[in-house]
């Protein structure tokens, strides 16, 4: 396949099948997330942090490997449970914590404790390694919609995430990373993986949506801490990290029970975010048709409907993978996250 010329030092993302993954070079891999796959450690990969997410892969191959490349030398490390790999300007890291080992106490559920442990260790790593700015965070929580010990588990996660970020001295609104938070099978660990930088990215909000950090309290006593998108500027190019996006306008879920309409509304939200990024970022020319998308489908039977909507909205150039995952509001049937890349002219 003919690929657009890749500028060597800019961040780059590929979604690979097992065979492609096994054939791929390792020299500039910063980090990997596997979906329903095994770590497949091979010569050269031993040092690369690999987040193992157990969400089932829908359609196409059984396994998906999300490979982040940095096009420059990188060094690996570990601090407590966080495995990481870093370049001069950015760091990829991952951590998995089981609820069994996290120990509930009188006031906090095991999920709260596991989340706290993950975020404390992430923040401590970023502070110690001097990459203070979280750019993008992916969160996978078992049984995300289940009510347990008096509240929904997604809300327990939100409380713990917010408390841990506050305790580390980080912002809770405004300058907060792009993120996704999805369900995972029961008994899987809480898995968090992330990208962080030495300099602050530009955070982008969606004019059609209330910022998640301003959601009213009906969605939980502790608001979610994420931006709708984060924009990384490197000398060679721009990367737009689009958070998990759903059929939410204002702060309300729309098109209850209508998967096709939810998918269209979600794509309209993503188009609005891209337009907003192009408006605020000098030199940005992101295109809906050139995204790399990860689509989370609550009910596998909805896959054909969702796929048809994406095909008509995105065309054939976009890269799309489909995973089965529960979404953090019961009434949402689909959620889409995306990464967009755009090269910069050398003299821009
Ligand atoms: C939403 O827009 C849908 O809690 O980190 C999307 C992306 C969602 C990230 C998070 C939640 C999160 O509110 C849910």
């Amino acid at each position: 396949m003919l690929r657009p010329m890749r500028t060597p030092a800019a961040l780059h993302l590929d979604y690979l099948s097992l065979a492609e993954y096994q054939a791929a070079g390792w020299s500039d891999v910063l980090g990997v997330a596997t979906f329903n796959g095994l770590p497949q450690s091979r010569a050269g990969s031993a040092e690369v942090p690999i987040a193992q997410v157990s969400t089932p892969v829908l359609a196409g191959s059984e396994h998906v490997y999300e490979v982040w490349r940095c096009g420059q030398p990188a060094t690996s490390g570990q601090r407590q449970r966080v495995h990481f790999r870093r370049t001069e300007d950015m760091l990829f890291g991952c951590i998995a914590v089981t609820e069994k080992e996290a120990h509930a106490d009188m006031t906090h559920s095991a999920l709260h404790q596991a989340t706290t442990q993950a975020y404390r260790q992430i923040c401590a790593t970023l502070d110690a390694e001097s990459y203070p700015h979280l750019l993008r965070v992916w969160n996978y929580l078992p049984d995300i919609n289940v009510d347990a010990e008096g509240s929904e588990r997604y809300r327990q996660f939100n409380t713990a995430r917010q408390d841990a970020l506050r305790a580390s001295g980080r912002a809770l609104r405004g300058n907060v990373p792009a993120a996704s938070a999805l369900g995972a099978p029961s008994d899987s660990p809480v898995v968090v993986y992330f990208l962080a930088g030495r300099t602050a990215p530009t955070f982008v909000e969606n004019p059609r949506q209330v910022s998640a950090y301003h959601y009213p309290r009906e969605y939980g006593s502790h608001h979610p801490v994420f931006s709708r998108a984060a924009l990384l500027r490197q000398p060679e190019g721009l990367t737009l990290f689009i958070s998990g996006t759903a059929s939410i306008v204002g702060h309300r879920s729309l098109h209850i029970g209508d998967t096709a309409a939810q998918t269209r509304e979600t794509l309209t939200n993503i188009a609005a975010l891209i337009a907003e990024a192009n408006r605020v970022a000098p030199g940005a020319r992101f295109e809906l048709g050139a995204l790399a998308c990860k689509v989370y489908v609550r009910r596998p039977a909805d896959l054909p409907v969702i796929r048809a909507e994406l095909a008509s909205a995105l065309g054939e150039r976009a890269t799309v993978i489909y995973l089965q995952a529960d979404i953090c509001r019961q009434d949402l049937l689909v959620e889409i996250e995306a990464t967009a890349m755009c090269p910069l002219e050398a003299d821009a």
Side-chain angles (χ1 to χ4, degrees), residues 52-75:
Q52 267 190 276
V53 181
S54 44
T55 55
V57 178
L58 299 173
S61 61
E62 270 174 85
H63 315 292
V64 169
Y65 295 82
E66 177 181 305
V67 179
W68 291 92
R69 291 180 187 277
C70 53
Q72 52 187 301
T75 54

Side-chain angles (χ1 to χ4, degrees), residues 115 119 139 141 144 152 154-163 165-166 171-181 205 210-228 243-244 248 251 328-329 335:
T115 304
Y119 273 84
N139 305 280
L141 326 172
I144 190 168
E152 189 192 19
Y154 175 59
R155 296 185 179 205
Q156 296 170 19
F157 164 81
N158 271 317
T159 300
R161 171 172 58 179
Q162 190 183 120
D163 287 351
L165 291 171
R166 181 186 293 105
L172 302 178
R173 296 184 181 81
N175 296 339
V176 294
S180 300
E205 289 300 294
V210 172
S211 294
Y213 46 75
H214 290 144
Y215 278 168
R217 290 179 63 98
E218 64 190 271
Y219 300 102
S221 59
H222 292 71
H223 62 74
V225 182
F226 71 95
S227 291
R228 297 300 180 183
S243 291
I248 296 173
H251 58 75
C328 65
R329 291 186 188 181
E335 180 171 307

Side-chain angles (χ1 to χ4, degrees), residues 89-288:
D89 66 337
M90 62 191 312
L91 182 148
F92 175 101
C94 61
I95 183 168
V97 182
T98 65
E99 291 175 55
K100 268 211 186 74
E101 66 193 323
H103 299 302
D105 64 21
M106 299 289 281
T107 45
H108 300 298
S109 67
L111 177 63
H112 180 109
Q113 302 294 64
T115 304
T116 300
Q117 193 180 327
Y119 273 84
R120 275 193 189 151
Q121 293 192 15
I122 290 168
C123 292
T125 302
L126 298 181
D127 293 343
E129 300 295 325
S130 300
Y131 297 79
H133 303 280
L134 276 170
L135 309 173
R136 180 59 169 106
V137 185
W138 290 266
N139 305 280
Y140 296 91
L141 326 172
D143 297 326
I144 190 168
N145 295 136
V146 170
D147 279 312
E149 296 158 66
S151 64
E152 189 192 19
R153 283 166 55 86
Y154 175 59
R155 296 185 179 205
Q156 296 170 19
F157 164 81
N158 271 317
T159 300
R161 171 172 58 179
Q162 190 183 120
D163 287 351
L165 291 171
R166 181 186 293 105
S168 82
R170 283 175 166 76
L172 302 178
R173 296 184 181 81
N175 296 339
V176 294
S180 300
L182 282 306
S186 312
D187 300 326
S188 52
V190 172
V191 175
V192 182
Y193 70 97
F194 56 95
L195 287 162
R198 288 235 146 105
T199 56
T202 302
F203 297 103
V204 182
E205 289 300 294
N206 185 340
R208 303 179 81 237
Q209 296 185 307
V210 172
S211 294
Y213 46 75
H214 290 144
Y215 278 168
R217 290 179 63 98
E218 64 190 271
Y219 300 102
S221 59
H222 292 71
H223 62 74
V225 182
F226 71 95
S227 291
R228 297 300 180 183
L231 181 103
L232 169 70
R233 181 176 293 271
Q234 295 178 294
E236 308 79 7
L238 302 173
T239 303
L240 183 66
F241 301 102
I242 298 179
S243 291
T245 303
S247 179
I248 296 173
V249 176
H251 58 75
R252 290 188 207 289
S253 307
L254 295 193
H255 316 296
I256 307 305
D258 184 341
T259 307
Q262 285 200 12
T263 308
R264 288 192 294 272
E265 199 70 63
T266 299
L267 290 164
T268 303
N269 276 329
I270 290 176
L273 266 171
I274 289 175
E276 184 67 2
N278 288 339
R279 188 182 71 81
V280 302
R285 291 185 316 277
F286 295 109
E287 293 171 47
L288 193 62

